[in-house]
Amino acid sequence: MKIHNTTGGRIFDAANYVFLSLIGIITLLPFIYVFAGSFATEAEITRRAFFVWPEQFSMGAYEYIFSTPAFIRALVTTVLVTAVGTVVQLILTVTMAYPLAKRNLRGRQLIMSLVVFAMVFSGGMIPTFLLVKDLGLLNSYWALILPAAINPFSLIIIKNFFQELPAELEESAKMDGATEVGILWRILLPLSKPVLATFALFYAVGIWNDFMSPLLYLSDNSKWTLQMYLRQVTASSDLLGTGNVDPNYIPPEQGIKFAVIVVATLPILIFYPFLQKHFAKGMLIGSVKG
């Protein structure tokens, strides 16, 4: 933020700081409450309407969810689907963006017109479901990855980034005998770390938080992802349906809901700082020229 030297400018800056601080506090408070509630006892959650620090720490909710096979299975499934899906989406997007970045590619304008058309007019839920069904992907983890494997917006940004790289790099590599695959792998990808890191974060967050795809395509609850498990926990008062529970044990119901939300959110919060340094730069790269 630019610091003003005039009185009016300082007042404006101070008002901005106050306003943004309030927005930040309002945004963070629900997360802090859920995080604190996950460590509180059931009696405290019931008794206190809102708190940011539990009076008595309890790990009962986390001990419960990590002792249920259904939660462990959903967590492992989500991690694997997110990792594989992010790699697949990056590979497919980059391998399509690279040839489209070459201005002498035959049919380039037609392909780009189709990409823009797909970005503006999506197929819709029912046609996409029928396509996934006809491809035999129902109850398959590939149904969570392949329908969104190439995002047109990401494709255009990465294509523009490749276009902006100096053509002399490719010409020099070709004179040294490099192939197209070698140029992409050895020269362009190392120069594309900011934009690749940015879209890796977008893809990973999108797959991790995806709720509609598992809801539509996975009818087998043994294949549920963490978001589906979270829905089961938060929407149902019957926690016995989410795992093997000792009938003599009364689980901390609200604390379990908070703990599952924390576990579902925490990996993305941990992952983000490692890519944050590339994020701002990657958002601008490739978005200037069409």
Side-chain angles (χ1 to χ4, degrees), residues 160-178:
N160 288 347
F161 173 76
F162 286 153
Q163 272 183 198
E164 293 173 13
L165 292 175
E168 290 78 7
L169 288 173
E170 291 190 38
E171 293 172 0
S172 300
K174 287 179 180 177
M175 291 178 66
D176 293 335

Side-chain angles (χ1 to χ4, degrees), residues 3-4 6 10 18 24 28 43 49 56 60 76 95-96 113 153 195 203 211 221 229 246 258 264 281:
I3 304 299
H4 296 86
T6 63
R10 292 193 187 96
V18 171
L28 287 176
Q56 182 180 356
V76 172
T95 50
M96 185 173 179
S113 299
F153 175 77
V195 70
Y203 288 149
F211 170 71
N221 59 9
Y229 181 86
D246 184 350
F258 289 157
K281 185 178 179 182

Side-chain angles (χ1 to χ4, degrees), residues 17-28:
Y17 280 117
V18 171
F19 177 74
L20 293 176
S21 298
L22 287 175
I23 295 294
I25 292 172
I26 292 172
T27 304
L28 287 176

Side-chain angles (χ1 to χ4, degrees), residues 4-16:
H4 296 86
N5 295 322
T6 63
T7 303
R10 292 193 187 96
I11 294 174
F12 177 77
D13 291 339
N16 268 340

Side-chain angles (χ1 to χ4, degrees), residues 27-28 30-32 34-35 38 62 65-66 71 75 78-79 82 201 204-205 208-210 226-227 229-230 234 256-273:
T27 304
L28 287 176
F31 290 101
I32 296 174
V34 169
F35 185 74
S38 68
Y62 289 97
I65 63 173
F66 280 103
F71 174 79
L75 180 61
T78 306
V79 170
T82 301
L201 180 64
V205 172
W208 183 275
N209 291 330
D210 188 13
L226 198 57
Q227 300 304 324
Y229 181 86
L230 177 62
T234 55
I256 289 172
K257 293 177 181 179
F258 289 157
V260 173
I261 293 173
V262 170
V263 174
T265 309
L266 201 58
I268 295 300
L269 296 178
I270 295 174
F271 187 54
Y272 178 76

